[in-house]
Amino acid sequence: MAGDLTEPHISVVPRTEAERARIAVAVQLPTDFSKAERFEAKPGGAATVPRHLDTTVFSQPAADVPEAELLDFELGRAIFEKLWVASPSSTKASDGLGPYYHARSCGSCHVNDGRGFAGMDALLIRVSVPDGDGGTRPHPEYGGQLQHKALSGMEAEFQLNLSYDDVALDLAGGEQANLRRPVYGLEMAQGALGEAAMISPRVAPTMIGLGLLEAIPTEDILALSDPDDLDGDGISGRAQVVQSAEYGVSMLGRFGHKAMMPTVSEQTAAAFSADLGLSTPLFPWHWGDCTEAQEVCRAAPHGDDPEREGLEVDSRAMAVLNLYSRNLGVPARVNVEDPQVLRGKSLFHEAGCAACHVPKHVTHRREAGTGSFQLIWPYTDLLLHDMGDGLADGRPDGLANGREWRTAPLWGLGLVAQAGGQQGYLHDGRARTVLEAVLWHGGEAEAAKEKVVALTPEDRAALVAFLESL
Ligand code: HEC
Ligand code: HEC
């Protein structure tokens, strides 16, 4: 199957043999932890931006966005931040929200271009039912996602009562961690979801470096996958493969917590449809995620506009928004030579974290566009891994089963609180610290987690110092 995956989203200059040899050396794992590696402080390569000290740290255009495109980038930002309103409205260029929706702007979930946090409006809930054929399909009544807001005069699909159970975990050296396991109480407006329904709560990921992740060669990701664990390290790693709505071919899934989206543009169009209820060239129906059973929703007023190609969001708006979403810069690292950070880095490698959080990749050499042929440090393999019962949502998505998640990129990890005003990690935001996130690891990552549990308090602090320096 691997050989059939194409990359229609990017025009590529094929690598020469000499380049392949150079790349193989450049992405080797480190063995000397007495000093930082070359280029390590610039995780986005030429696209790296300064590590601002305020909430704008994830909001900067990548350093390699050409001057001539900066105006479009800012227009894209305006669309990302725009608060959409219901139709009909006097502000024609911003109407069409809903009928059901989850938020009024992209930026209300991706806070300051960073992540969303559990308990805020940013926690969205995917839903599906078995299709009777071994697969799944959207819920017949509620669709693929539950919306907790609706236009006035309509009742939202559900309200969420989120609570947490405490889970204590003893760590070596007399320390204890107090984790919290989320419990989702759903009050459904249009009848119970039913026994067979499967839900998957998720928070919005950070928006940095997405064009770079899109430019990692599919071939390089597939080379990291080891579905049958032939190398016997207990870590398999499977590629997500999806049918692209935009290109009509099978592609590697890269975006979203189960890697269900092949490109930034498809993810963006899907967000407009499902999260905001807006029509785009790719998903042109104006009722978003309403099902045929939800007749009131399908018949509600909408903002499709002849001056916007008969849509609520036209191709020009999508183009600038995609430019923006692809090119948010990755902040430079600090303290790469700090002895505690270097100690933490060596522990990261000793514990086997790098088997999934693969530090380095080299992007495609592109015929045009940003992020071409760069050594980048996202700390992910973009593959799916079984993370154990503790993190399982029990809801298959494409090739991912109910225990598998895409390895989260770790770049920008230490800046989450600075950008978003609070901390929150993992797909559902349950972890309040970076250490809690690590302690929830299980399944293929159980052995790595156990190593962290067994560290001395001093070494655990060093590991965290390294993670927070990313
Ligand atoms: C209701 C909250 C919410 C809103 C509104 C929202 N997003 Fe997201 N976004 C998410 C969540 C949750 C995910 C992860 C989705 C998944 O796991 O499938 C995500 C994922 C993404 C990703 C992929 C990032 C990655 O690392 O995989 C991109 C790109 C993105 N969103 C862009 C947008 C854009 C552009 C908009 C506005 C059109 C938007 N989002 C609106 C919650 C939101
Ligand atoms: C088997 C693969 C695997 C290994 C090994 C692994 N991780 Fe992860 N890691 C993941 C996956 C998958 C996620 C996303 C899980 C989720 O969202 O529920 C993740 C998430 C994280 C997060 C949260 C990131 C975020 O943005 O929320 C941190 C921090 C992290 N890992 C650190 C580590 C450290 C440190 C180690 C080594 C001790 C490690 N991981 C080992 C696969 C792995």
Side-chain angles (χ1 to χ4, degrees), residues 80 102-103 105-106 109-110 121-122 124 126 202-207 210 255-258 264 267-268 271-272 275-276 321 325 406:
F80 195 82
H102 207 96
S105 70
C106 309
C109 290
H110 298 273
D121 291 349
L124 65 78
R126 295 275 163 74
R202 302 179 186 192
V203 293
T206 302
M207 293 286 298
L210 300 181
F255 300 105
H257 295 292
K258 295 212 187 218
V264 170
Q267 173 82 44
T268 298
F272 267 132
D275 303 346
L276 296 149
L321 180 58
S325 298
R406 177 198 70 162

Side-chain angles (χ1 to χ4, degrees), residues 59-79:
S59 305
Q60 310 166 68
D64 62 345
V65 176
E67 193 77 35
E69 289 179 15
L70 286 176
L71 185 60
D72 278 351
F73 180 91
E74 292 304 327
L75 292 173
R77 188 196 304 279
I79 295 175

Side-chain angles (χ1 to χ4, degrees), residues 23-76:
I23 290 164
V25 174
V27 299
Q28 266 169 7
L29 295 182
T31 46
D32 175 5
F33 297 99
S34 66
K35 56 181 192 307
E37 290 165 84
R38 237 180 127 196
F39 310 124
E40 183 174 7
K42 295 189 84 180
T48 306
V49 294
R51 200 174 178 95
H52 280 180
L53 296 174
D54 58 21
T55 55
T56 65
V57 67
F58 292 145
S59 305
Q60 310 166 68
D64 62 345
V65 176
E67 193 77 35
E69 289 179 15
L70 286 176
L71 185 60
D72 278 351
F73 180 91
E74 292 304 327
L75 292 173

Side-chain angles (χ1 to χ4, degrees), residues 115 235 348 351-353 356-357 385 387 391 405-408 410 413 425-427 434 437-438 441 444-445 448 452 467:
R115 65 182 67 200
I235 294 178
F348 180 88
C353 311
C356 303
H357 296 284
H385 295 277
M387 294 298 284
L391 287 174
W405 299 100
R406 177 198 70 162
T407 307
L410 299 182
L413 204 61
Y425 306 94
L426 297 172
H427 65 271
V434 166
V438 179
H441 282 47
E444 292 172 41
V452 176
L467 294 170

Side-chain angles (χ1 to χ4, degrees), residues 334-353:
V334 283
N335 305 339
V336 288
E337 298 287 1
D338 180 280
Q340 192 195 25
V341 167
L342 287 169
R343 172 74 187 148
K345 183 179 169 191
S346 75
L347 294 164
F348 180 88
H349 286 273
E350 267 167 43
C353 311

